[in-house]
Amino acid sequence: MKLSGNQTALAMKGKLDAQFDRKGVLIGLFSGGTWGINNVVLGIALTLVPALGDNAALYAIPLAAACMNDTLAGLWLLIYNGWAGRFQEIIRSLKTVPGLMVCVAALLGGPIANSGYLLGISMAGPAYALTITALYPVVGAILSRIFLKQHILPRVWAGMLLSVIGAIIISYVPPEGTTSENFYLGLMFASLAALGWGAEAVLAVFGMSMIDPKIAINIRELTSGLCIAIFILPFVGGWAVISQIVVLPETFGIFAVAGLAAGVSYLAWYTANSKCGVAKGMALNGTYVMWGVILSVVFMSAELTQNLVIGSMLVLIGATLVAINPKEFFQKGGVA
Amino acid sequence: MAALLPLRFRMLHYISTVDKTNVVEIMKALKPEYGTEKQFTKEVFAEHLLDMKANFVIDDDEVMLDDKGELVIYYTISEEGKRLLKKYLPKHWQNK
């Protein structure tokens, strides 16, 4: 890029660009932290759902939770966008092809990935499912290489490899006492989530060249919530679960708080993706594995196993390598 | 009047119709369409421009200081931006 202008103006421009980069990275990290909060709060909400039998516990409850999480996040975002005077932007965006692309991204990320994610947690346990789903930056980077023709550096491939190794360390041995055929089915669902989210990010970033990320994420959450409600819940008995939850103010309230955390997290994720690109945005968001584990250990007395610690650290280091060039990071003392 | 485009999309379209432009000129040009909306602020417009630059659909080739010593960045549409507009701009906007 060639820039022209006087020295002072060029220096001010350099400062503005550095601020913009730093903002993107901080927002990406914030999206990971709030997604970790969402995981924990949603976990608490799920423990308050009335017992509805084994079949409901396996499919209906996780899918109903996925639906409520996206729908409530979508409604919180609708309030936010309405307050900021962007309500009409949603309608305008839906009338354009990039807006419809965001809807398709929503289907990949919502009904497919989010359902897979919650089914994975339900069947294989959060420690294993969360770590597998954390591989989604790898999937996203590969898809962006294929479809967006993005060049992937050796450092990025190395980071991805570390993430995969970390995930294998955590998920290879099933937890004692809970081994079942559903465990492996849960791992498959978690893998589906990684695929769906990776594909979502690539498609959404493409759409966001022309659509505001704040609008894109609102469309995404509402499309996802509605599609799960209409096309999935009736077949798994999910509506029975929702009708039980909405009459329990405390339980519904906790779902609403989880939805708020999800809305904030997704808003930050889409904003980061739009500012610093798919690979960086996804990898920074991927730090939620670490936040999820820390929050579970601190607030929910979860057991901190050695495998979990080592695996999560490797996933985190890998994700960071994908996003940031350590040499440039330490040289500039800022963002690479 | 034809239905309005999403603001970011319209900004990209406007940039494609001029040689180079800055945030103040873009706001002046789009005031008749979006001027009454709460999102019509310099901060929002400047953010859209930085995001579009990061997504490689526009370039910032020239900077200067205005009378008040504030930074003014001039933007032009990139080849990728032109390609996207050609492909995704609604038909009734194509010749505007």
Side-chain angles (χ1 to χ4, degrees), chain A residues 27-43 45 64-78 80-81 109-110 114 117-118 136 197 200 213-214 216-222 224-225 228 253-273 285 288 295:
Chain A
I27 292 173
L29 282 174
F30 181 69
S31 79
T34 42
W35 190 240
I37 293 172
N38 171 260
N39 289 333
V40 174
V41 178
L42 200 57
C67 175
M68 287 183 69
N69 204 38
D70 277 347
T71 308
L72 290 168
L75 293 175
W76 283 116
L77 289 165
L78 205 57
Y80 167 62
N81 277 321
N114 278 12
Y117 169 68
L118 287 171
Y136 88 88
W197 281 334
E200 171 193 359
K214 299 178 189 77
I217 192 56
N218 208 154
I219 292 174
R220 186 258 186 238
E221 288 297 72
L222 289 176
S224 169
I228 298 175
I254 296 176
F255 269 102
V257 173
L260 179 61
V264 171
S265 176
Y266 265 109
L267 177 64
W269 184 43
Y270 268 44
T271 304
N273 283 344
N285 177 263
Y288 75 80
L295 291 168

Side-chain angles (χ1 to χ4, degrees), chain B residues 65-82:
Chain B
L65 297 179
D66 65 10
D67 303 342
K68 295 172 195 160
E70 283 180 20
L71 181 68
V72 182
I73 306 172
Y74 280 91
Y75 293 94
T76 53
I77 191 157
S78 70
E79 287 307 312
E80 174 66 4
K82 284 179 194 166

Side-chain angles (χ1 to χ4, degrees), chain A residues 103-223:
Chain A
C103 291
V104 177
L107 297 179
L108 292 168
I112 294 176
N114 278 12
S115 301
Y117 169 68
L118 287 171
L119 284 171
I121 289 177
S122 161
M123 293 178 183
Y128 301 90
L130 285 182
T131 309
I132 289 186
T133 57
L135 293 175
Y136 88 88
V138 178
V139 178
I142 293 170
L143 293 177
S144 68
R145 172 81 188 87
I146 298 168
F147 294 105
L148 300 179
K149 311 284 179 223
Q150 274 190 0
H151 180 62
I152 297 175
L153 301 166
R155 162 176 64 83
V156 176
W157 286 120
M160 287 176 194
L161 195 66
L162 270 185
S163 291
V164 173
I165 294 169
I168 290 171
I169 287 178
I170 293 188
S171 58
Y172 186 66
V173 185
E176 270 180 56
T178 55
T179 312
S180 70
E181 58 188 273
N182 288 334
F183 176 78
Y184 293 101
L185 191 61
L187 296 188
M188 275 176 57
F189 276 121
S191 309
L192 190 67
L195 279 174
W197 281 334
E200 171 193 359
V202 172
L203 195 59
V205 161
F206 190 66
M208 283 189 293
S209 306
M210 293 151 279
I211 302 284
D212 188 339
K214 299 178 189 77
I215 302 304
I217 192 56
N218 208 154
I219 292 174
R220 186 258 186 238
E221 288 297 72
L222 289 176
T223 306

Side-chain angles (χ1 to χ4, degrees), chain A residues 4 13 83 92 208 275, chain B residues 8 37-38 47 60 63:
Chain A
S4 63
K13 166 77 172 48
W83 169 80
R92 286 171 194 157
M208 283 189 293
K275 288 192 189 306
Chain B
R8 184 178 286 197
E37 295 177 9
K38 202 176 170 184
E47 189 85 5
D60 51 357
V63 289

